Amino acid sequence: MIVEDTVAQTLVMYNSVTGFSQTYATWIAEELQAQLLPFDELDSVNLADYDVVIYGAGVRMSRIRGFHTFRKKLATTDGAPAENVIVWANGGTPQHPDRDWKAAAGTFTRRELARGAYKYFYFEGGIRYEGLNKPEYLLLKTFAKRVQKYRDRGEWAAQVADGIVEGYDHTSREAIRPLVEYARQLQTATKS
Protein backbone atom coordinates (compact mmCIF):
# COMPACT_ATOMS: atom_id res chain seq x y z
CA MET A 1 0.00 0.00 0.00
CA ILE A 2 1.38 3.42 -0.94
CA VAL A 3 0.81 6.06 1.69
CA GLU A 4 1.40 9.75 0.98
CA ASP A 5 3.92 11.60 3.13
CA THR A 6 1.09 13.80 4.42
CA VAL A 7 -0.53 10.79 6.10
CA ALA A 8 0.96 9.50 9.34
CA GLN A 9 2.62 6.13 8.93
CA THR A 10 0.44 3.74 10.88
CA LEU A 11 0.96 0.09 11.72
CA VAL A 12 -1.74 -2.30 12.88
CA MET A 13 -0.27 -5.47 14.36
CA TYR A 14 -2.43 -8.33 15.56
CA ASN A 15 -1.97 -11.62 17.38
CA SER A 16 -4.80 -13.95 16.39
CA VAL A 17 -5.37 -17.58 17.25
CA THR A 18 -9.00 -18.09 16.25
CA GLY A 19 -9.47 -15.19 13.82
CA PHE A 20 -11.30 -12.54 15.84
CA SER A 21 -8.22 -10.32 16.29
CA GLN A 22 -7.38 -10.63 12.61
CA THR A 23 -10.91 -9.50 11.71
CA TYR A 24 -10.69 -6.43 13.94
CA ALA A 25 -7.15 -5.62 12.76
CA THR A 26 -8.20 -5.80 9.11
CA TRP A 27 -11.11 -3.44 9.68
CA ILE A 28 -8.92 -0.99 11.62
CA ALA A 29 -6.19 -1.04 8.97
CA GLU A 30 -8.75 -0.43 6.22
CA GLU A 31 -10.26 2.53 8.08
CA LEU A 32 -6.86 4.12 8.79
CA GLN A 33 -5.07 3.22 5.54
CA ALA A 34 -2.50 1.48 7.71
CA GLN A 35 -0.04 -1.33 7.18
CA LEU A 36 -1.34 -4.63 8.57
CA LEU A 37 1.02 -7.24 10.03
CA PRO A 38 0.51 -10.46 11.98
CA PHE A 39 2.36 -10.85 15.29
CA ASP A 40 4.68 -13.51 13.90
CA GLU A 41 6.29 -10.79 11.74
CA LEU A 42 7.18 -8.62 14.75
CA ASP A 43 10.91 -9.30 14.38
CA SER A 44 10.87 -8.10 10.76
CA VAL A 45 9.51 -4.63 11.47
CA ASN A 46 11.12 -1.49 12.84
CA LEU A 47 8.45 0.11 15.01
CA ALA A 48 10.35 3.41 14.91
CA ASP A 49 9.33 3.71 11.23
CA TYR A 50 5.74 4.41 12.27
CA ASP A 51 4.09 7.49 13.71
CA VAL A 52 1.20 5.49 15.21
CA VAL A 53 1.38 1.85 16.28
CA ILE A 54 -1.73 -0.19 17.10
CA TYR A 55 -1.47 -3.62 18.72
CA GLY A 56 -4.35 -5.98 19.34
CA ALA A 57 -4.89 -9.54 20.41
CA GLY A 58 -7.26 -11.91 22.08
CA VAL A 59 -7.40 -12.34 25.83
CA ARG A 60 -6.28 -15.50 27.55
CA MET A 61 -6.36 -15.80 31.34
CA SER A 62 -7.02 -12.04 31.64
CA ARG A 63 -3.90 -11.16 29.64
CA ILE A 64 -3.56 -9.75 26.14
CA ARG A 65 -1.72 -12.36 24.07
CA GLY A 66 1.81 -11.43 23.08
CA PHE A 67 1.81 -7.96 24.62
CA HIS A 68 4.83 -8.71 26.81
CA THR A 69 6.89 -9.51 23.68
CA PHE A 70 5.46 -6.51 21.82
CA ARG A 71 6.36 -4.21 24.74
CA LYS A 72 9.98 -5.48 24.67
CA LYS A 73 10.23 -4.84 20.94
CA LEU A 74 8.79 -1.36 21.38
CA ALA A 75 11.38 -0.56 24.06
CA THR A 76 14.39 -2.00 22.22
CA THR A 77 13.72 -0.38 18.84
CA ASP A 78 13.15 3.14 20.12
CA GLY A 79 9.70 2.78 18.60
CA ALA A 80 6.76 5.15 18.61
CA PRO A 81 6.37 6.96 21.93
CA ALA A 82 3.87 5.26 24.26
CA GLU A 83 1.38 8.08 23.74
CA ASN A 84 1.27 7.07 20.05
CA VAL A 85 0.65 3.40 20.82
CA ILE A 86 -2.90 2.08 20.98
CA VAL A 87 -3.70 -1.35 22.40
CA TRP A 88 -6.89 -3.31 22.06
CA ALA A 89 -8.01 -6.66 23.38
CA ASN A 90 -10.86 -8.82 22.24
CA GLY A 91 -12.49 -11.62 24.15
CA GLY A 92 -15.55 -13.71 24.60
CA THR A 93 -17.36 -11.52 27.11
CA PRO A 94 -19.62 -8.67 26.02
CA GLN A 95 -18.34 -5.11 26.32
CA HIS A 96 -19.19 -3.64 29.70
CA PRO A 97 -17.49 -0.84 31.67
CA ASP A 98 -17.29 -3.01 34.78
CA ARG A 99 -15.27 -5.72 32.97
CA ASP A 100 -13.50 -4.09 30.00
CA TRP A 101 -10.55 -2.98 32.14
CA LYS A 102 -9.67 -6.49 33.38
CA ALA A 103 -7.41 -7.47 30.45
CA ALA A 104 -5.53 -4.18 30.77
CA ALA A 105 -5.10 -4.70 34.52
CA GLY A 106 -3.76 -8.21 33.91
CA THR A 107 -1.42 -7.11 31.12
CA PHE A 108 0.00 -3.65 31.81
CA THR A 109 2.43 -3.04 34.64
CA ARG A 110 1.28 -0.99 37.64
CA ARG A 111 3.42 1.88 36.43
CA GLU A 112 1.89 1.74 32.94
CA LEU A 113 -1.59 1.70 34.45
CA ALA A 114 -0.84 4.60 36.80
CA ARG A 115 0.56 6.71 33.95
CA GLY A 116 -2.12 5.67 31.47
CA ALA A 117 0.80 4.71 29.24
CA TYR A 118 -1.28 3.17 26.45
CA LYS A 119 -4.70 4.12 25.16
CA TYR A 120 -6.70 0.90 25.57
CA PHE A 121 -9.89 -0.48 24.04
CA TYR A 122 -11.81 -3.74 24.49
CA PHE A 123 -13.99 -5.40 21.82
CA GLU A 124 -16.21 -8.43 22.11
CA GLY A 125 -15.10 -11.15 19.75
CA GLY A 126 -16.53 -14.50 20.58
CA ILE A 127 -15.67 -18.12 21.11
CA ARG A 128 -14.27 -20.29 18.36
CA TYR A 129 -12.83 -23.72 19.02
CA GLU A 130 -11.18 -24.04 15.61
CA GLY A 131 -7.55 -22.93 15.77
CA LEU A 132 -7.03 -23.70 19.44
CA ASN A 133 -4.29 -26.13 20.40
CA LYS A 134 -5.41 -29.22 22.28
CA PRO A 135 -4.70 -27.96 25.84
CA GLU A 136 -6.54 -24.67 25.19
CA TYR A 137 -9.41 -26.53 23.52
CA LEU A 138 -9.80 -28.82 26.54
CA LEU A 139 -9.46 -25.92 28.97
CA LEU A 140 -12.19 -23.96 27.17
CA LYS A 141 -14.50 -26.99 27.03
CA THR A 142 -13.98 -27.52 30.78
CA PHE A 143 -14.69 -23.83 31.40
CA ALA A 144 -17.84 -24.11 29.23
CA LYS A 145 -19.15 -26.79 31.56
CA ARG A 146 -18.26 -24.87 34.73
CA VAL A 147 -19.72 -21.55 33.59
CA GLN A 148 -23.18 -23.10 33.36
CA LYS A 149 -23.59 -22.94 37.13
CA TYR A 150 -23.08 -19.13 37.09
CA ARG A 151 -25.97 -18.37 34.71
CA ASP A 152 -27.86 -16.59 37.50
CA ARG A 153 -25.18 -13.87 37.92
CA GLY A 154 -26.70 -11.57 35.36
CA GLU A 155 -27.64 -11.23 31.73
CA TRP A 156 -24.06 -11.25 30.49
CA ALA A 157 -23.31 -14.47 32.42
CA ALA A 158 -26.31 -16.18 30.82
CA GLN A 159 -25.22 -14.96 27.37
CA VAL A 160 -21.72 -16.33 27.88
CA ALA A 161 -23.07 -19.63 29.23
CA ASP A 162 -25.39 -20.03 26.24
CA GLY A 163 -22.78 -19.15 23.64
CA ILE A 164 -19.71 -20.88 25.01
CA VAL A 165 -21.04 -24.37 24.43
CA GLU A 166 -20.99 -24.16 20.62
CA GLY A 167 -19.12 -20.91 20.10
CA TYR A 168 -20.27 -17.61 18.65
CA ASP A 169 -19.04 -14.58 16.70
CA HIS A 170 -20.01 -11.14 18.00
CA THR A 171 -17.43 -9.11 16.09
CA SER A 172 -18.77 -5.75 15.03
CA ARG A 173 -17.18 -3.22 12.73
CA GLU A 174 -19.10 -0.54 14.63
CA ALA A 175 -17.19 -1.47 17.82
CA ILE A 176 -13.92 -0.12 16.39
CA ARG A 177 -15.28 3.43 15.89
CA PRO A 178 -13.86 4.90 19.14
CA LEU A 179 -10.41 3.41 18.43
CA VAL A 180 -10.44 4.64 14.81
CA GLU A 181 -11.48 8.15 15.86
CA TYR A 182 -8.72 8.29 18.47
CA ALA A 183 -6.15 6.96 15.99
CA ARG A 184 -7.16 9.58 13.42
CA GLN A 185 -6.53 12.28 16.02
CA LEU A 186 -3.04 10.84 16.59
CA GLN A 187 -2.41 10.64 12.84
CA THR A 188 -3.35 14.31 12.47
CA ALA A 189 -1.29 15.39 15.49
CA THR A 190 1.86 13.56 14.33
CA LYS A 191 1.71 15.18 10.87
CA SER A 192 0.95 18.75 11.99
Side-chain angles (χ1 to χ4, degrees), residues 40-59:
D40 60 3
E41 293 185 31
L42 178 64
D43 289 338
S44 70
V45 67
N46 181 1
L47 297 176
D49 290 343
Y50 298 91
D51 301 307
V52 178
V53 176
I54 303 169
Y55 178 81
V59 175

Side-chain angles (χ1 to χ4, degrees), residues 70-162:
F70 174 79
R71 179 195 294 120
K72 281 184 182 176
K73 174 77 172 187
L74 193 61
T76 61
T77 62
D78 195 28
E83 63 267 11
N84 292 355
V85 175
I86 301 170
V87 178
W88 96 82
N90 55 272
T93 59
Q95 288 179 270
H96 192 280
D98 291 342
R99 291 184 311 279
D100 293 353
W101 58 271
K102 287 186 178 184
T107 303
F108 302 143
T109 65
R110 287 182 182 173
R111 187 172 182 201
E112 288 168 340
L113 287 168
R115 290 183 317 177
Y118 305 105
K119 183 67 173 174
Y120 169 74
F121 296 87
Y122 175 82
F123 310 130
E124 182 180 7
I127 301 290
R128 187 175 292 141
Y129 290 93
E130 298 82 23
L132 293 176
N133 60 37
K134 189 170 183 171
E136 286 184 333
Y137 176 88
L138 294 173
L139 184 64
L140 190 56
K141 282 294 189 180
T142 301
F143 179 71
K145 288 178 185 174
R146 285 185 162 182
V147 80
Q148 299 305 317
K149 64 182 173 183
Y150 299 106
R151 302 175 63 79
D152 62 344
R153 291 198 176 175
E155 183 181 334
W156 73 272
Q159 287 174 347
V160 170
D162 290 342

